Amino acid sequence: MGDARWRGLQRPSRYSALALLRHGVAGSAWPPAWRTHALEKSYDAVIVGGGIHGLATAYYLARNHGITNVAVLDKGYLGGGGSGRNTAILRSNYLTPEGVAFYDRSLELYRGLAADLNYNVMFSRRGHLTLAHSDTSLRTMRWRAEVNKVSGVDSEVIDPDDVSRLVPEMDTTDRARYPILGALYHPPGGIIRHDAVVWGYARAADSLGAHLHQDTEVTGIDVSGGRVRGVRTNCGDIAAPVVINATAGWATLVADMAGVRLPVQTFPLQAAVTEPVKPFLRTVVVSGTLHVYVSQTARGELVFGASVDPFASYSTRGSLEFTEGLAGHVLQLMPSLAKMRLLRQWAGLCDMTPDFAPIMGHTEVDGFLLDVGWGTYGFKAGPVAGETIAECVATGRTPQLISSFRLDRFAQGRLVGEKGAAAVGH
Ligand SMILES: Cc1cc2nc3c(=O)[nH]c(=O)nc-3n(C[C@H](O)[C@H](O)[C@H](O)COP(=O)(O)OP(=O)(O)OC[C@H]3O[C@@H](n4cnc5c(N)ncnc54)[C@H](O)[C@@H]3O)c2cc1C
């Protein structure tokens, strides 16, 4: 907090043990985590989408660049999109050097986030295991491990005995339907409390001056002379020289308003959680072959996920097919979970790109920026995406870290090729 970047900015009121004691003794209510404001007629930047990406961008615009006359608009509530529906897995063991460097910077920001935002985001570093059930996937794991090591990311291929030591409940025998031949083990991976991250960024962005507007839907984007002029919303028009599209599953609808076409399709992704049980699962476990992954929360619930639904749609309904498929695959991995009961299931929208890498930065419309294409893996990227998009806005340039993720890579045939590490692994 002695950081020079806070100078001249309003600091967030601190959460601390002393503050807790003071409020407890006085019986006084805590102030709301963020304020409500009237919609201004103009802002220096409008961010469409109040998920982790939009909120982190507002925070880093203020914190790193002193740009505070910013509005974050959400048609629903903050975190109501993928940011409040994901399974909160963090890792940086991607396949391409640009992916590894990018996600590793995010993990670095996540490690310091609780102190940075003065908000307990409950980051739990517990290791991440991606299982290999075939020679082909074992070869991909070795490839990933080498790319990771060259980039300084802790990742190695381990054998079934090591897997069994890490997760004794897993069926590592050769009697399993899909025997485990090895795994990619990534110790820095883990899970976090996704709502806390969203609320932490919202609170910090608000305290630095950003206006957060919920129930405010962008219905049109004004573009003239090749540059963005502002947005139209259900609550009134706003003039702005910069508009950032951070709407994930709705990204193409918002980009269309500015006349920008995206190679993105939206698919639902489902997840489910069990009743809580005594902690037994220390790591995050992923099986691409079985299309399933699992972790255990601090409360003891098992959180399961899978691949996206097989058809493009904007539906967020759960389906019985998903639950049945999931249960079958989970039991092939861990037969001892047969008696566990599912508590609930849900779905969110994922904006999938052809190469499983995001689309970030400037577009052919001056002032209209993209922070989209987050598919099933964008929560872990929130901090670094916010940081780099804020830099794009402040400097007008594209930081090296995201230069491979520009929209024009599709026209130029320079795809990133992250599918091997992003399809189910989150
Ligand atoms: C079930 C599930 C599990 C997942 N698991 C993981 C995981 O383990 N790890 C990981 O890294 N990622 C995971 N993801 C992906 C991750 O959740 C998303 O990539 C990420 O949350 C995207 O964040 P965002 O801020 O870009 O978008 P969102 O959080 O989706 O926010 C976009 C916001 O835009 C708003 N909006 C849309 N249109 C408009 C409009 N016209 N006007 C105003 N507002 C608008 C929406 O209301 C929404 O709140 C998962 C996703 C799902 C669904």
Side-chain angles (χ1 to χ4, degrees), residues 22-23 28-29 51 97 105 138 216 276 321 384:
R22 219 182 295 123
H23 278 280
S28 56
R105 170 65 185 154
L138 203 52
T216 307
E321 287 88 344
V384 68

Side-chain angles (χ1 to χ4, degrees), residues 51-53 74-75 82-83 86-89 218 248 376-380:
I52 182 175
H53 284 261
D74 200 289
K75 66 177 182 169
S83 299
N86 65 83
T87 44
I89 295 173
V218 171
T376 61
Y377 35 81
F379 194 78
K380 71 177 70 59

Side-chain angles (χ1 to χ4, degrees), residues 48-55 73-90 94 216-219 246-250 254 257 268-271 293 346-351 371-372 374-381 425-426:
V48 193
I52 182 175
H53 284 261
L55 294 166
L73 312 181
D74 200 289
K75 66 177 182 169
Y77 60 94
L78 301 182
S83 299
R85 296 163 187 264
N86 65 83
T87 44
I89 295 173
L90 309 183
Y94 276 74
T216 307
E217 178 168 7
V218 171
T219 53
T247 55
W250 299 267
V254 173
M257 296 176 194
L269 176 64
Q270 301 190 49
Y293 62 92
W346 66 93
L349 301 181
C350 294
D351 42 338
D371 176 17
V372 303
W374 292 111
T376 61
Y377 35 81
F379 194 78
K380 71 177 70 59
H426 299 311

